[in-house]
Amino acid sequence: MKVGFVSLGCSKNLVVTEEMIGLFKKHNYEIVSNPEEAEILLINTCGFIDVAKEEGINTILDMIEYKKKNCKYLIVTGCLVERYEDELRKEIPEVDLFVSIKNYDHLWKAISSLINKEENDKLDYHYRELTTGSNTAYLKIAEGCSNYCTYCAIPYIQGKYVSREYDDIIDEAHMLVEKGITEVVVIAQDTTKYGVDLYGKDRLPELLNDLCKIDGIKWIRFLYSYPEGISDELIDVVKNNDKICSYFDLPIQHISDEVLRRMNRKTNKESITKLIEKLRKEIPNVILRTTLIVGFPGETEEQFNELYEFIDKYRFNHLGAFSYSKEDGTPASKFNDQVEEDIKEERRKKIMVLQQKISKELLADKVGNTYEVLIEDITPDGKYFLGRSYMDVPSEDGLIYIKFKEGISINDYYQVLITSSTEYDLFGEIK
C-alpha cells in the first residue's frame, strides 16, 4: 500500500515522523509525497500552542477530503492526540486511528490491526528515513521536559525529561554519517539537561566532544540550550572544536526578573546579561539566537519596555517573538491578570520591527567577509545557489544567495565572499 505523511510542529516531532516513515518502509510500504496517491495518510501533529492546534485540526480536515478519493485509512498521532484524544475522537469520526505519544510503543500493532495484518514492531532510529536533505539531520538526545515553566504544556504532554542512552546517540550519529550526513543538529526540549536524569550529571559537553571525533561530520549544532545550563565547560567545548558551530540558541523568553519568576524560569536578568557578555568575549564570532514571549499574564508596559530596551542593547543575530498563548492545564492559564490580545500582538510586532532593524545592521557588517557555505539548492531562475554558513540553522534562519558559477556542486561546501545584504539574507560569490 502507498503511504503519505504530514509532519507538523518542531524538529523533535519531525524526527519521530522520520522513524514512522522508516517503520513503514521496513514493512515494504511505498512512501509517496502526493496525498492523492496515498491509500494511508498519517498526520503527526503538534499541540503546543493555539496556532499549532489550529494547524493540526485544519490539516486533519484537509486530509479527510482524500478519504473521498483514494485514501482508505487516516491516522493521526502526536501531541494534539496526547492532549485532546477524547475530543478528537468525538468531533472527527472520519479518522480511523488516533495514537497518542504515550502509546507509541504500540503504534505498529495498532496500525497493523487497523489494516488486518496483526503485526507488532516498534519505532527504531536504525530504520529512520531522513527528510531533511542530503547533508543535514537532527539528532534527538532526549524526550520530554522537567522544567515546568508556567506557560508550557510540554511536560504535561510528553512527560518528564528522559535522556537517551549515550551509546545509542553515538551509534545513531555514525549511522547518519553512513547515509552521507555532514551536518548534525543536536536537539531536545533542553539540550543542556542531557544526562542529568540518567547519569547524575550534564553530559552535553562530553557528547559534543565525542561527536567531533566521528569522521565525516563537518558541522555540529545544538539547539534549545537554556541559559542557566550554559556552563564554562560547554563554552570551552564550542570554543575549542572547529566542527561545532559558534552558535548558541538561548530561549530567554523575557528579561524582567518579575516576569521570569512568574514564568518559573530558573534564571534572571543579571545572569542572562553576564552569559551574553561572556559568550561574546570568549567566542568573538559567536551567533546568538533567542525566543521571547510577550504579553505574559501580568506583563506591564514597564516590563515590556525593559525587554524592548534589552533587545535593542544586546542585539541578537536571530530572534523570534511570540504572543503568550493560554494553554489548557498550565499554571499560567489560571493567572487572573491575562493581557488583552490586541496588546499582546502590538507588543510582538514592535519587537519584530526592532529585530528587523537589528538583523539588517548586523548582516551589513558581514559584507566583505568570507565564510564556508554549504550549498543546498538553486533558485528556479538558475541565477543563484542557495546556501548556509555556520550562522544559519536550517529552516530557521536566513540564506546566502550565491551568484551562479559553472562547475559548482549542490550539497558541497565552498568559500563564499559576501558582497551585499538585506534584512535577513546575504548575497555572495564563490571565491
Side-chain angles (χ1 to χ4, degrees):
M1 297 181 74
K2 296 180 179 180
V3 190
F5 291 83
V6 180
S7 188
L8 304 175
C10 65
S11 53
K12 297 178 286 294
N13 211 37
L14 179 61
V15 171
V16 177
T17 303
E18 291 176 339
E19 292 180 351
M20 291 176 178
I21 296 172
L23 189 56
F24 274 92
K25 287 194 73 172
K26 177 184 177 184
H27 289 271
N28 300 313
Y29 287 79
E30 181 182 350
I31 310 303
V32 296
S33 57
N34 184 353
E36 291 185 349
E37 298 178 17
E39 298 162 273
I40 301 172
L41 281 169
L42 190 150
I43 307 166
N44 193 18
T45 62
C46 174
F48 182 41
I49 57 177
D50 286 342
V51 173
K53 289 183 279 187
E54 183 178 342
E55 181 186 31
I57 296 295
N58 288 337
T59 302
I60 294 170
L61 297 177
D62 288 344
M63 293 302 109
I64 285 172
E65 292 301 308
Y66 294 104
K67 286 199 71 177
K68 301 173 184 177
K69 303 172 184 177
N70 191 50
C71 178
K72 296 179 176 63
Y73 303 106
L74 181 58
I75 302 167
V76 180
T77 65
C79 292
L80 193 66
V81 181
E82 187 67 46
R83 295 190 77 179
Y84 303 109
E85 183 172 357
D86 291 342
E87 294 94 321
L88 290 169
R89 287 181 182 278
K90 179 180 178 181
E91 298 295 332
I92 315 179
E94 294 90 345
V95 174
D96 300 288
L97 178 65
F98 289 100
V99 184
S100 64
I101 294 171
K102 291 184 176 66
N103 285 322
Y104 276 173
D105 280 350
H106 308 290
L107 172 71
W108 193 251
K109 183 176 181 180
I111 291 172
S112 62
S113 296
L114 177 67
I115 53 183
N116 300 315
K117 284 198 170 184
E118 290 298 329
E119 299 172 331
N120 202 4
D121 207 339
K122 291 187 178 181
L123 296 176
D124 188 337
Y125 67 85
H126 290 96
Y127 298 98
R128 179 179 162 198
E129 190 72 14
L130 302 179
T131 62
T132 46
S134 302
N135 291 282
T136 302
Y138 294 105
L139 182 61
K140 186 161 62 170
I141 62 175
E143 301 283 358
C145 186
S146 299
N147 288 335
Y148 290 97
C149 303
T150 58
Y151 55 81
C152 183
I154 292 296
Y156 311 104
I157 300 172
Q158 298 184 355
K160 66 181 181 179
Y161 194 94
V162 180
S163 299
R164 285 180 60 190
E165 294 283 349
Y166 194 94
D167 290 344
D168 265 1
I169 296 170
I170 298 297
D171 181 48
E172 184 173 7
H174 280 284
M175 182 202 75
L176 294 174
V177 170
E178 289 171 6
K179 292 186 175 185
I181 294 301
T182 58
E183 179 186 29
V184 171
V185 185
V186 176
I187 56 172
Q189 196 64 34
D190 178 357
T191 50
T192 63
K193 297 292 193 299
Y194 173 69
V196 174
D197 60 310
L198 202 56
Y199 304 109
K201 62 177 182 178
D202 165 26
R203 294 189 69 181
L204 179 63
E206 180 185 354
L207 177 65
L208 294 174
N209 262 327
D210 283 344
L211 290 174
C212 287
K213 298 173 185 176
I214 299 176
D215 291 337
I217 295 180
K218 190 170 181 64
W219 284 351
I220 298 169
R221 304 178 185 275
F222 59 100
L223 304 181
Y224 315 113
S225 48
Y226 282 40
E228 65 272 18
I230 305 296
S231 63
D232 289 345
E233 182 185 9
L234 181 58
I235 294 172
D236 287 341
V237 167
V238 176
K239 181 180 178 180
N240 297 320
N241 283 287
D242 291 339
K243 286 188 176 183
I244 304 176
C245 295
S246 299
Y247 186 115
F248 282 79
D249 176 23
L250 309 170
I252 66 171
Q253 308 305 358
H254 215 280
I255 204 61
S256 160
D257 284 344
E258 175 59 18
V259 175
L260 290 169
R261 184 191 67 78
R262 287 165 60 85
M263 287 180 166
N264 195 34
R265 302 288 289 184
K266 311 302 190 295
T267 188
N268 56 42
K269 183 176 185 177
E270 181 182 7
S271 61
I272 291 171
T273 302
K274 286 182 177 178
L275 174 62
I276 292 171
E277 292 172 350
K278 176 183 283 189
L279 288 171
R280 287 178 169 158
K281 179 182 178 182
E282 294 292 325
I283 311 173
N285 63 335
V286 71
I287 299 297
L288 299 183
R289 176 185 180 84
T290 196
T291 51
L292 309 173
I293 295 175
V294 297
F296 185 77
E299 183 192 55
T300 64
E301 191 71 25
E302 181 182 7
Q303 289 165 344
F304 170 76
N305 288 335
E306 182 182 3
L307 176 63
Y308 184 93
E309 291 165 7
F310 181 85
I311 299 306
D312 193 27
K313 180 178 179 179
Y314 283 93
R315 298 164 64 84
F316 287 86
N317 301 87
H318 306 290
L319 180 149
F322 301 89
S323 298
Y324 167 73
S325 176
K326 187 177 179 181
E327 294 303 308
D328 296 339
T330 60
S333 69
K334 301 179 180 67
F335 291 175
N336 293 324
D337 43 3
Q338 300 289 325
V339 177
E340 294 181 9
E341 291 297 327
D342 58 340
I343 295 176
K344 288 192 287 188
E345 182 59 15
E346 179 185 337
R347 291 175 181 177
R348 187 194 69 81
K349 287 181 178 178
K350 188 174 180 181
I351 289 285
M352 293 313 298
V353 168
L354 172 63
Q355 180 59 26
Q356 185 179 53
K357 172 179 173 289
I358 292 170
S359 178
K360 183 177 181 178
E361 292 171 354
L362 292 178
L363 289 180
D365 290 340
K366 309 298 181 188
V367 175
N369 295 345
T370 298
Y371 300 100
E372 186 174 39
V373 174
L374 169 60
I375 294 181
E376 298 178 295
D377 206 346
I378 191 168
T379 56
D381 60 13
K383 292 182 178 180
Y384 295 96
F385 293 109
L386 300 175
R388 293 181 293 108
S389 72
Y390 82 94
M391 300 182 287
D392 307 299
V393 167
S395 302
E396 296 286 345
D397 301 330
L399 293 170
I400 301 177
Y401 289 77
I402 304 134
K403 187 177 178 181
F404 179 81
K405 183 178 181 180
E406 293 288 350
I408 300 304
S409 302
I410 292 176
N411 299 322
D412 210 345
Y413 295 78
Y414 294 90
Q415 294 296 315
V416 174
L417 172 67
I418 303 303
T419 56
S420 63
S421 63
T422 63
E423 286 88 345
Y424 298 114
D425 299 313
L426 295 171
F427 288 79
E429 54 190 37
I430 292 171
K431 294 187 71 174

